[in-house]
Amino acid sequence: MDIVRTSMCRASRNALRAFFALAVLCVSFSTALSAVSQVIRSTEYSITLGQFTGTTYTLTLNQTLASDYFIIVRGGIDTSIDSAATPDYEYARVSAVPSGKGDLPDSGASNQITLARYASDQNWVGIVTVVECLAGTAGPGFKLITIDEITMANGVDTGTSTAPATWPSGQLAQIVPIGGYRGGGAAFTEDVPFDATGPAMGQSILTKLTRSGTSTIGWKRDAGGSTLKAAVMTVFVIQWGFEWTVQSVNVAGTNAGDGVDATGEYTTAAITSVVRADTWVWGCGFTTTSTAGNNAEACVVTLGDGVNENATETAVAVGCDEAASYDFQVYTMTQSRIAVDHAKLADGNSTALTVGVTMGQSATTSTERMSVAYNTCDGTSTTRQTRCRFRSNFTANDTITLTRGYQGTEFAAWVQSIDFSPLRTLLITGSNPAINKIDHTGTNVSVTFTDPNPANYTTGWYTTSSMTGRKSYGISLSFGNTIQRQGLTPNFDGECVETTLTTTISKSGHPLGNPRVWRWWRATGASSGDWTGDNINIGGATTYTHDSDVGDVDGDGDLDIAVAYANATINVVWLNDGTGAFPSSIDIGTEAEETRRIKFLDFDRDGDLDIFVANNGVNRMYTYAAGAYTLQFTSAQSDASFGLAVGDMNADSYPDVVVTNNNTAFTTNQLYINNYGTLGTYTCTMRNLGNTNVKSRDCDIGDVDNDGDLDIGITVFSALGGQNFIYLMDSSGWVESTVNVGPTLVNSRTIDFGDFNGD
């Protein structure tokens, strides 16, 4: 979708809007979506002796890496090493990925990733777990927002890192930074000589990660009595979909004890109640001590109080075998359709390098399961540090094997089997009319899904019109994977029609992976008319008009006109008598204000046209009933509002409102989320859209990137200069990123979306 930026007068803009809309060409959903029902693929790759012998290693995957993924790197040296081993060749991280992402460069192939470490004195062996989201990123799955490469300088114990890509606004609660020694890996960037103290134990690598403000990761580590060495870690910034409940808590304390088999040997932190079988736990942190038994690698992280296993849990716990002061950030991810089993391995196995843990569930699909384990280690030795560094992987459907680099001490562990195979999703592969299609002449609308006969499509499928409000259908027919809704109530020529498919639509209990919103335009038909002829006067000569909109307010089959007055006059709707004359009008409320923009919308989805007005002051929404408009909503904030657009921004089938502001205070633009669908009230939740350093003038809505949700275009009108831009949105109505458009230092007044070059 392209953009037209003009400086025409408001009246000309209104006259040409319909023509701009009709320039949008057909783009099928199938160009952006793939018919995949599996949501998450998880693959464990074992790197064995003789493979990773240098400072870098190229891991070839079983298939092309998906666009959304995270990688967990766990391993170390092989068992032949002696007590003088140093961690500068034991710790490795992901250093390059296909096509590059965030701070990481291109690995050179779509099915390869690169691992790196500082030194190569010995072989590196371990498990690399690659977790990919194949479908349903907005709901049952996850998105990879970016990859942050965080550098920690010598001697520095705390800091922040601004991610290379902006996180979606308002989605901080769903973000998990899966990085460092428990995630994407970490490596030293300077030599670490053996000195049998902190550096030799890898203390400089062991770091706590927090979400510290918008698009920022906070990190912290402790020297443990030695000197902090320079290091770098890889962090995958993951946004879990709306079907996931994500919680983040800090767990800091000193409780410890042999075997971590008593509640007093754990420190806990409260979380909102979760179902144990639906929840997996990930955490990372540091300790202020650095021996084999009390560094962060020897701390267990688990759900509950560490001992008792309940159907629902209200806490997470961290424990240690030896006396330690620890500080961990723990994240819980809950999804009602996954299967998680938590198993406790009792203290023991002092002579074992590998121990198989029998789980209570069998995860039978090898590409849809993941193991996560946290262990303790007996003793306070400052040598043989590989005793506490474990990795885990499935060796049978019901067995997770723990492996360490050296034996000689007992250990306990909490082990998680995470089975993603119950996650399935329904997808859309095509539609007719297609997204952004013009000249649609029929009354049938069809959508093709990945699976036949989906349930609840009549209750999860909504169509609305810019000129008549919510539309209805006659009958619905199923043709295998295609559902056809027939008898769409007649449209007006040139009107914009918007359809939302919500996650109410499902197949065998699996909801639509991503809700979808798309628009098309009704054909105008042939015409031999011109712009000559008699003028039609509407209203009095003394009114000062800023804006207008057209729609069939009284349902008589002709178009009426809503007019926004600028000279403290009550706005009105002029009623068409069917001959093109407008002899009567309806007042829009009783407020006489300076109104800059006016738009029809069906706020409560009752089939009537309600009205939203953007004022030089507070903004207002009026509902229509029994021939009258009644004020229902007034914004809490007063601004010089200039731009107004309406569309279903969060894919819940209710129209939302975008308002752009242009005053000397440079207040932010706003998105008003319609609460009628969730609260049943005529209220809106206001979301600030950012960009407070510019004076915005106009806005328009359209699916710029063809991803099935509506984006927002903004023009800038400022003596300070600026650049027009687009908010690329997600399907929940949050800004994913901002893209600048056109030249800088512009004073633009209006904007319209359209595919003018036909691509």
Short mmCIF file of all heavy atoms in Angstrom, two decimals, residues 575-609:
data_model
loop_
_atom_site.label_atom_id
_atom_site.label_comp_id
_atom_site.label_asym_id
_atom_site.label_seq_id
_atom_site.Cartn_x
_atom_site.Cartn_y
_atom_site.Cartn_z
N LEU A 575 -30.14 15.57 6.23
CA LEU A 575 -30.84 14.39 5.73
C LEU A 575 -31.22 14.56 4.27
O LEU A 575 -31.86 15.55 3.89
CB LEU A 575 -32.09 14.11 6.57
CG LEU A 575 -31.82 13.84 8.06
CD1 LEU A 575 -33.13 13.68 8.81
CD2 LEU A 575 -30.95 12.60 8.23
N ASN A 576 -30.82 13.58 3.48
CA ASN A 576 -31.12 13.55 2.05
C ASN A 576 -32.58 13.13 1.85
O ASN A 576 -33.02 12.12 2.40
CB ASN A 576 -30.17 12.56 1.37
CG ASN A 576 -30.21 12.61 -0.12
OD1 ASN A 576 -31.19 13.04 -0.73
ND2 ASN A 576 -29.12 12.14 -0.74
N ASP A 577 -33.34 13.89 1.06
CA ASP A 577 -34.75 13.53 0.84
C ASP A 577 -34.95 12.58 -0.33
O ASP A 577 -36.07 12.29 -0.73
CB ASP A 577 -35.60 14.79 0.65
CG ASP A 577 -35.25 15.55 -0.64
OD1 ASP A 577 -34.36 15.09 -1.39
OD2 ASP A 577 -35.86 16.61 -0.88
N GLY A 578 -33.85 12.09 -0.91
CA GLY A 578 -33.93 11.15 -2.01
C GLY A 578 -33.81 11.79 -3.37
O GLY A 578 -33.64 11.10 -4.39
N THR A 579 -33.88 13.11 -3.42
CA THR A 579 -33.75 13.82 -4.69
C THR A 579 -32.43 14.56 -4.79
O THR A 579 -32.18 15.27 -5.76
CB THR A 579 -34.90 14.84 -4.85
OG1 THR A 579 -34.73 15.89 -3.89
CG2 THR A 579 -36.24 14.18 -4.67
N GLY A 580 -31.59 14.41 -3.78
CA GLY A 580 -30.35 15.14 -3.74
C GLY A 580 -30.44 16.45 -3.02
O GLY A 580 -29.47 17.22 -2.98
N ALA A 581 -31.58 16.72 -2.42
CA ALA A 581 -31.75 17.92 -1.60
C ALA A 581 -31.69 17.55 -0.13
O ALA A 581 -31.98 16.42 0.26
CB ALA A 581 -33.10 18.58 -1.92
N PHE A 582 -31.31 18.53 0.69
CA PHE A 582 -31.11 18.29 2.12
C PHE A 582 -31.90 19.34 2.91
O PHE A 582 -31.32 20.28 3.48
CB PHE A 582 -29.63 18.35 2.46
CG PHE A 582 -28.81 17.31 1.75
CD1 PHE A 582 -28.35 17.53 0.46
CD2 PHE A 582 -28.51 16.11 2.36
CE1 PHE A 582 -27.60 16.58 -0.21
CE2 PHE A 582 -27.76 15.14 1.72
CZ PHE A 582 -27.30 15.37 0.42
N PRO A 583 -33.21 19.17 2.98
CA PRO A 583 -34.05 20.21 3.58
C PRO A 583 -34.09 20.19 5.10
O PRO A 583 -34.52 21.16 5.72
CB PRO A 583 -35.43 19.91 3.00
CG PRO A 583 -35.41 18.42 2.78
CD PRO A 583 -34.01 18.09 2.36
N SER A 584 -33.70 19.08 5.75
CA SER A 584 -33.82 18.99 7.21
C SER A 584 -32.54 18.43 7.80
O SER A 584 -31.72 17.82 7.10
CB SER A 584 -35.01 18.10 7.60
OG SER A 584 -34.83 16.79 7.10
N SER A 585 -32.40 18.61 9.10
CA SER A 585 -31.16 18.18 9.76
C SER A 585 -31.45 17.67 11.16
O SER A 585 -32.52 17.92 11.73
CB SER A 585 -30.15 19.33 9.81
OG SER A 585 -30.65 20.38 10.63
N ILE A 586 -30.45 16.95 11.71
CA ILE A 586 -30.48 16.45 13.08
C ILE A 586 -29.29 17.04 13.80
O ILE A 586 -28.15 16.93 13.33
CB ILE A 586 -30.40 14.92 13.14
CG1 ILE A 586 -31.52 14.27 12.33
CG2 ILE A 586 -30.43 14.43 14.57
CD1 ILE A 586 -31.35 12.76 12.20
N ASP A 587 -29.50 17.67 14.94
CA ASP A 587 -28.39 18.16 15.74
C ASP A 587 -27.58 16.99 16.30
O ASP A 587 -28.13 15.97 16.72
CB ASP A 587 -28.90 19.01 16.89
CG ASP A 587 -29.37 20.38 16.44
OD1 ASP A 587 -29.10 20.74 15.28
OD2 ASP A 587 -30.01 21.08 17.25
N ILE A 588 -26.28 17.16 16.32
CA ILE A 588 -25.40 16.17 16.93
C ILE A 588 -25.10 16.65 18.34
O ILE A 588 -24.18 17.45 18.58
CB ILE A 588 -24.11 15.99 16.12
CG1 ILE A 588 -24.44 15.61 14.67
CG2 ILE A 588 -23.21 14.93 16.76
CD1 ILE A 588 -23.23 15.59 13.75
N GLY A 589 -25.91 16.19 19.30
CA GLY A 589 -25.77 16.64 20.68
C GLY A 589 -26.17 18.10 20.83
O GLY A 589 -26.90 18.67 20.01
N THR A 590 -25.65 18.70 21.86
CA THR A 590 -25.97 20.11 22.16
C THR A 590 -24.72 20.95 22.29
O THR A 590 -24.81 22.15 22.60
CB THR A 590 -26.77 20.19 23.47
OG1 THR A 590 -25.98 19.63 24.54
CG2 THR A 590 -28.08 19.43 23.36
N GLU A 591 -23.54 20.37 22.07
CA GLU A 591 -22.28 21.08 22.28
C GLU A 591 -21.94 21.92 21.05
O GLU A 591 -21.95 21.40 19.91
CB GLU A 591 -21.14 20.09 22.56
CG GLU A 591 -21.25 19.37 23.90
CD GLU A 591 -22.36 18.33 23.92
OE1 GLU A 591 -22.69 17.79 22.83
OE2 GLU A 591 -22.91 18.07 24.99
N ALA A 592 -21.67 23.19 21.26
CA ALA A 592 -21.24 24.10 20.18
C ALA A 592 -19.75 24.36 20.36
O ALA A 592 -19.34 25.15 21.22
CB ALA A 592 -22.05 25.39 20.22
N GLU A 593 -18.93 23.68 19.55
CA GLU A 593 -17.48 23.73 19.73
C GLU A 593 -16.80 23.92 18.38
O GLU A 593 -17.45 23.89 17.33
CB GLU A 593 -17.00 22.44 20.40
CG GLU A 593 -17.59 22.24 21.79
CD GLU A 593 -17.38 20.83 22.34
OE1 GLU A 593 -17.67 19.87 21.61
OE2 GLU A 593 -16.94 20.73 23.49
N GLU A 594 -15.50 24.08 18.42
CA GLU A 594 -14.73 24.14 17.18
C GLU A 594 -14.33 22.72 16.80
O GLU A 594 -13.37 22.18 17.34
CB GLU A 594 -13.50 25.02 17.34
CG GLU A 594 -12.71 25.13 16.04
CD GLU A 594 -11.41 25.89 16.19
OE1 GLU A 594 -11.19 26.48 17.26
OE2 GLU A 594 -10.61 25.88 15.23
N THR A 595 -15.09 22.14 15.87
CA THR A 595 -14.85 20.76 15.46
C THR A 595 -14.00 20.75 14.20
O THR A 595 -14.32 21.40 13.21
CB THR A 595 -16.18 20.02 15.21
OG1 THR A 595 -16.93 20.00 16.43
CG2 THR A 595 -15.93 18.61 14.74
N ARG A 596 -12.92 19.98 14.23
CA ARG A 596 -12.00 19.91 13.10
C ARG A 596 -12.30 18.73 12.18
O ARG A 596 -12.14 18.83 10.97
CB ARG A 596 -10.56 19.80 13.63
CG ARG A 596 -10.11 20.99 14.48
CD ARG A 596 -9.58 22.12 13.62
NE ARG A 596 -9.18 23.29 14.38
CZ ARG A 596 -8.12 23.39 15.16
NH1 ARG A 596 -7.34 22.35 15.36
NH2 ARG A 596 -7.83 24.53 15.75
N ARG A 597 -12.68 17.58 12.76
CA ARG A 597 -12.94 16.40 11.95
C ARG A 597 -14.17 15.68 12.48
O ARG A 597 -14.46 15.72 13.68
CB ARG A 597 -11.75 15.42 11.98
CG ARG A 597 -10.51 15.93 11.30
CD ARG A 597 -10.70 16.20 9.81
NE ARG A 597 -11.27 15.05 9.13
CZ ARG A 597 -10.59 13.99 8.69
NH1 ARG A 597 -9.27 13.95 8.87
NH2 ARG A 597 -11.19 13.01 8.07
N ILE A 598 -14.86 14.97 11.58
CA ILE A 598 -16.06 14.22 11.94
C ILE A 598 -16.09 12.93 11.15
O ILE A 598 -15.73 12.89 9.98
CB ILE A 598 -17.33 15.08 11.69
CG1 ILE A 598 -18.57 14.42 12.30
CG2 ILE A 598 -17.53 15.34 10.19
CD1 ILE A 598 -19.78 15.35 12.34
N LYS A 599 -16.47 11.81 11.82
CA LYS A 599 -16.52 10.51 11.15
C LYS A 599 -17.71 9.72 11.68
O LYS A 599 -18.00 9.70 12.87
CB LYS A 599 -15.25 9.70 11.42
CG LYS A 599 -14.01 10.23 10.75
CD LYS A 599 -14.04 10.07 9.24
CE LYS A 599 -13.94 8.61 8.83
NZ LYS A 599 -13.88 8.47 7.35
N PHE A 600 -18.38 9.01 10.73
CA PHE A 600 -19.38 8.03 11.11
C PHE A 600 -18.69 6.74 11.57
O PHE A 600 -17.64 6.36 11.04
CB PHE A 600 -20.29 7.70 9.92
CG PHE A 600 -21.32 8.74 9.61
CD1 PHE A 600 -21.35 9.37 8.38
CD2 PHE A 600 -22.29 9.08 10.55
CE1 PHE A 600 -22.31 10.32 8.09
CE2 PHE A 600 -23.25 10.03 10.27
CZ PHE A 600 -23.27 10.66 9.03
N LEU A 601 -19.30 6.05 12.50
CA LEU A 601 -18.85 4.73 12.94
C LEU A 601 -20.02 4.04 13.64
O LEU A 601 -20.91 4.73 14.16
CB LEU A 601 -17.65 4.81 13.88
CG LEU A 601 -17.86 5.26 15.33
CD1 LEU A 601 -16.61 4.95 16.14
CD2 LEU A 601 -18.22 6.71 15.46
N ASP A 602 -20.01 2.73 13.65
CA ASP A 602 -21.03 1.98 14.39
C ASP A 602 -20.40 1.51 15.69
O ASP A 602 -19.97 0.37 15.82
CB ASP A 602 -21.54 0.81 13.55
CG ASP A 602 -22.76 0.12 14.17
OD1 ASP A 602 -23.17 0.53 15.28
OD2 ASP A 602 -23.28 -0.82 13.55
N PHE A 603 -20.33 2.40 16.68
CA PHE A 603 -19.57 2.16 17.90
C PHE A 603 -20.06 0.92 18.64
O PHE A 603 -19.26 0.13 19.14
CB PHE A 603 -19.68 3.39 18.81
CG PHE A 603 -18.77 3.36 20.00
CD1 PHE A 603 -17.48 3.87 19.92
CD2 PHE A 603 -19.18 2.83 21.21
CE1 PHE A 603 -16.63 3.85 21.01
CE2 PHE A 603 -18.34 2.80 22.32
CZ PHE A 603 -17.05 3.31 22.20
N ASP A 604 -21.38 0.74 18.74
CA ASP A 604 -21.95 -0.37 19.52
C ASP A 604 -22.43 -1.52 18.65
O ASP A 604 -23.09 -2.44 19.14
CB ASP A 604 -23.09 0.13 20.41
CG ASP A 604 -24.09 0.98 19.64
OD1 ASP A 604 -24.00 1.03 18.39
OD2 ASP A 604 -24.95 1.60 20.28
N ARG A 605 -22.13 -1.47 17.36
CA ARG A 605 -22.44 -2.56 16.41
C ARG A 605 -23.93 -2.87 16.36
O ARG A 605 -24.32 -4.03 16.18
CB ARG A 605 -21.66 -3.81 16.80
CG ARG A 605 -20.43 -4.07 16.01
CD ARG A 605 -19.72 -5.34 16.36
NE ARG A 605 -20.48 -6.29 17.15
CZ ARG A 605 -19.98 -7.32 17.78
NH1 ARG A 605 -18.69 -7.53 17.75
NH2 ARG A 605 -20.74 -8.15 18.45
N ASP A 606 -24.77 -1.85 16.46
CA ASP A 606 -26.21 -2.09 16.41
C ASP A 606 -26.79 -1.81 15.03
O ASP A 606 -28.01 -1.87 14.83
CB ASP A 606 -26.95 -1.26 17.47
CG ASP A 606 -26.80 0.24 17.21
OD1 ASP A 606 -26.01 0.64 16.33
OD2 ASP A 606 -27.49 1.01 17.92
N GLY A 607 -25.94 -1.48 14.06
CA GLY A 607 -26.40 -1.21 12.70
C GLY A 607 -26.73 0.23 12.43
O GLY A 607 -27.06 0.59 11.29
N ASP A 608 -26.65 1.10 13.45
CA ASP A 608 -26.86 2.53 13.26
C ASP A 608 -25.51 3.25 13.16
O ASP A 608 -24.50 2.77 13.67
CB ASP A 608 -27.64 3.12 14.44
CG ASP A 608 -29.06 2.59 14.53
OD1 ASP A 608 -29.65 2.36 13.46
OD2 ASP A 608 -29.55 2.40 15.66
N LEU A 609 -25.53 4.41 12.53
CA LEU A 609 -24.31 5.19 12.40
C LEU A 609 -24.18 6.17 13.56
O LEU A 609 -24.97 7.11 13.69
CB LEU A 609 -24.31 5.94 11.07
CG LEU A 609 -24.07 5.10 9.82
CD1 LEU A 609 -24.13 5.96 8.57
CD2 LEU A 609 -22.74 4.36 9.90
#
